[in-house]
Amino acid sequence: MSTSDNSVIVVNTVTCEITDVDCRARISAPIVDMTFAPNGRFLACFTQSSMLTVISTSFETKVLDFDTTEGASKPPLQMIWCGEDSVVLHWKNLGVLMVGPYGDWLRFPYEDSENIFLIPEIDCCRVMTDSSVEILQRVPPSTALLLRIGSIEPSAMLLDASDAFNSGSTASEEAARAIVKTGALIEAIETCTEAATKEFDIATQKRLLGAASYGMHFSYKELEERSCLMGGPLEGSDEESRIRPSYTTVKFVTAARKLRILNALRDPKVGFVLTSSQYDSITPTGLVARLISMKRPALATSISKYLSLPKSVQLYARASRAAALVASDVNRNHSDAEIADAAIRIVNEDDLSSSKSNSAVSSVNRGGYATVALAANKAGRPGVANLLLMLESSVADKVPALISTGSYADAMAVATTARDADFIFATLMEYEKTCMTSISDPGKAQATFLSTVVSKFTKEGFNMIRRYYGTMSDVKHLINLLLRAQKFTDAGAAIAARALALDSKEDPRERQAMMQEASRIFGLGKETAFHKACTEDYMELLKDQEVRALPGYTKCIGN
């Protein structure tokens, strides 16, 4: 927090300790706005005197003072960092001001935009207007040295040699060999490659990559031992290292692939503009996930295949593309079989030309069919969902998908075949919840649930819910289940066991009532007459014991 006497107070949120950093000698006026740099090393402060001050987070070193009084007398609406070395400020009706690390500045008026918002990124900032989104980024130092007029950097000399070669000049080879003699050719190649990845202009990208490729040609020619494929020597003497591409070559190929992807994302039809650092930060797998979230599954599928990402990522992208296909048939112009067949072809795209059997393909694409089936069910195509789930081989994906589509009996059958107790119990609980929420009468809902468990679910499912009900203090759920299954012996025995387990000091009438209920249940079956008779005899014995326990009872003994 800033203070009125030009200082800052730091509050420890854990200990609630307050510390005055005492930066009055470095701050000219009270601070009205402040923001941290992405790396956490610097703090940008805007004061009441319209002074932008950049100071270290230890408040000991002042980096920059920039006076904005000539253009504005009020604090900016927004102040953010653009990367780690420049600050961007926005005033209404004045536009955007970008201040560099040495006090250099640029102003962007945005006269045709009424509303402007700044969004900070790790290496740039995005300027959102009413009609467009622009990226504002400081030119990378390596690119500035490379493209500066009259630069004598090795990378700049290599770029000039490449341009001369493309124009047909014979002096290009001499210029390249001069770089080789300085021993800085590999550095020049890598600098051109890195600069290309940070460029947005495609023509400049090709120019820089062409220069790197031209330099790798001379790097290969100057090797005394041709132990690698272009780009410089490799360490190691084994046979594998003698045929493996060099690190510089691999870096060049990686950069070329990255640029192809970034340029595809920057296409106006896609509108997903990323910088090279942002691409590296979210990783290719994260990029595929974001494209799928943006409803771009076709592009995500192409990128995952082009980069040879893990099979699971490629399957996820293909499944999302197939799901989009199913959801697109809103007017139901195609039958369920045709839609399912088209979705299967997309999911099995990599296996169409192989000689794998259907079971082998299904095992490779574990989880893909379930994903598409869920999308088909959500789009109102349960027939397509059922056709796809027939091919799903992953129990962990198939059972939840069947539960989501309402096929509880099929889910129970799959879980039972897999002998997975967790999925068996989960299916039972989900179906019971569905019955309770879809039927307003709790009694009818419970009856529907028990009837389905007994008639349609597997024996393992019945035994699972029986054990679960047996752990409850209230025995009525267990009794209802056993009566629904016509297991009168087990039902009567269960309630009789509960009666016998009661404490003898409690009211004996409760035990009598439970035993009477057990006798009634035993009377429902044809093979439980003996159990009924034994229960009634025990009830008579209990009554006799109660009479004998009454006060004043005398035992008569005959002569």
Side-chain angles (χ1 to χ4, degrees), residues 271-309:
F272 187 23
V273 182
L274 287 179
T275 64
S276 177
S277 299
Q278 292 171 356
Y279 174 84
D280 295 335
S281 178
I282 65 175
T283 70
T285 301
L287 173 62
V288 170
R290 293 196 182 192
L291 287 173
I292 293 174
S293 300
M294 293 172 56
K295 310 297 183 184
R296 300 282 184 179
L299 182 57
T301 302
S302 301
I303 291 176
S304 63
K305 185 177 181 180
Y306 175 67
L307 295 178
S308 300
L309 296 181

Side-chain angles (χ1 to χ4, degrees), residues 34-302:
M34 61 179 69
T35 180
F36 283 95
N39 57 11
R41 295 173 53 193
F42 302 105
L43 178 67
C45 306
F46 195 88
T47 66
Q48 286 184 354
S49 59
S50 298
M51 181 71 71
L52 172 63
T53 301
V54 178
I55 193 171
S56 63
T57 51
S58 62
F59 296 93
E60 295 179 355
T61 305
K62 181 190 291 188
V63 179
L64 174 68
D65 266 338
F66 186 84
D67 191 1
T68 63
T69 54
E70 294 184 5
S73 59
K74 296 181 180 180
L77 297 178
Q78 274 187 280
M79 182 177 68
I80 65 171
W81 282 84
C82 181
E84 298 180 350
D85 49 14
S86 60
V87 181
V88 178
L89 306 95
H90 164 231
W91 287 271
K92 190 173 183 178
N93 300 326
L94 293 177
V96 174
L97 177 67
M98 183 178 185
V99 181
Y102 306 108
D104 300 326
W105 59 274
L106 287 173
R107 179 176 171 268
F108 306 92
Y110 288 100
E111 296 176 352
D112 299 331
S113 300
E114 182 177 353
N115 299 310
I116 298 176
F117 299 95
L118 305 178
I119 302 176
E121 300 281 358
I122 58 174
D123 62 339
C124 64
C125 75
R126 296 180 189 263
V127 183
M128 298 185 63
T129 66
D130 295 330
S131 58
S132 64
V133 178
E134 298 180 0
I135 284 185
L136 186 60
Q137 182 185 39
R138 182 177 175 235
V139 177
S142 59
T143 304
L145 293 175
L146 171 62
L147 300 178
R148 186 178 58 190
I149 298 176
S151 175
I152 58 173
E153 294 291 324
S155 55
M157 296 172 64
L158 177 61
L159 181 61
D160 292 338
S162 175
D163 292 341
F165 174 78
N166 292 331
S167 63
S169 174
T170 57
S172 60
E173 185 170 351
E174 295 180 3
R177 292 192 181 278
I179 303 173
V180 173
K181 292 179 180 180
T182 63
L185 181 59
I186 299 299
E187 177 186 353
I189 294 171
E190 294 182 357
T191 301
C192 289
T193 303
E194 182 181 359
T197 60
K198 298 181 179 180
E199 276 293 327
F200 288 86
D201 182 62
I202 296 180
T204 307
Q205 293 173 2
K206 292 181 178 180
R207 182 186 174 203
L208 293 172
L209 287 179
S213 176
Y214 183 69
M216 284 193 292
H217 173 73
F218 283 92
S219 174
Y220 173 70
K221 288 177 64 176
E222 292 297 323
L223 289 177
E224 295 181 0
E225 297 182 2
R226 311 291 178 84
S227 60
C228 63
L229 302 178
M230 309 255 327
L234 281 172
E235 296 182 358
S237 57
D238 57 316
E239 186 64 26
E240 182 181 356
S241 66
R242 295 181 65 83
I243 61 174
R244 192 172 58 218
S246 68
Y247 170 77
T248 305
T249 307
V250 173
K251 188 175 181 180
F252 176 85
V253 174
T254 303
R257 290 182 175 179
K258 181 193 293 187
L259 284 175
R260 289 191 182 101
I261 295 172
L262 291 176
N263 290 334
L265 296 175
R266 293 166 184 170
D267 189 284
K269 296 180 181 179
V270 179
F272 187 23
V273 182
L274 287 179
T275 64
S276 177
S277 299
Q278 292 171 356
Y279 174 84
D280 295 335
S281 178
I282 65 175
T283 70
T285 301
L287 173 62
V288 170
R290 293 196 182 192
L291 287 173
I292 293 174
S293 300
M294 293 172 56
K295 310 297 183 184
R296 300 282 184 179
L299 182 57
T301 302
S302 301

Side-chain angles (χ1 to χ4, degrees), residues 58 111 181 200 205 275 320 323 362 380 384 408 416 455 542:
S58 62
E111 296 176 352
K181 292 179 180 180
F200 288 86
Q205 293 173 2
T275 64
S320 300
S362 179
V384 177
Y408 296 98
T416 301
S455 60
L542 290 178

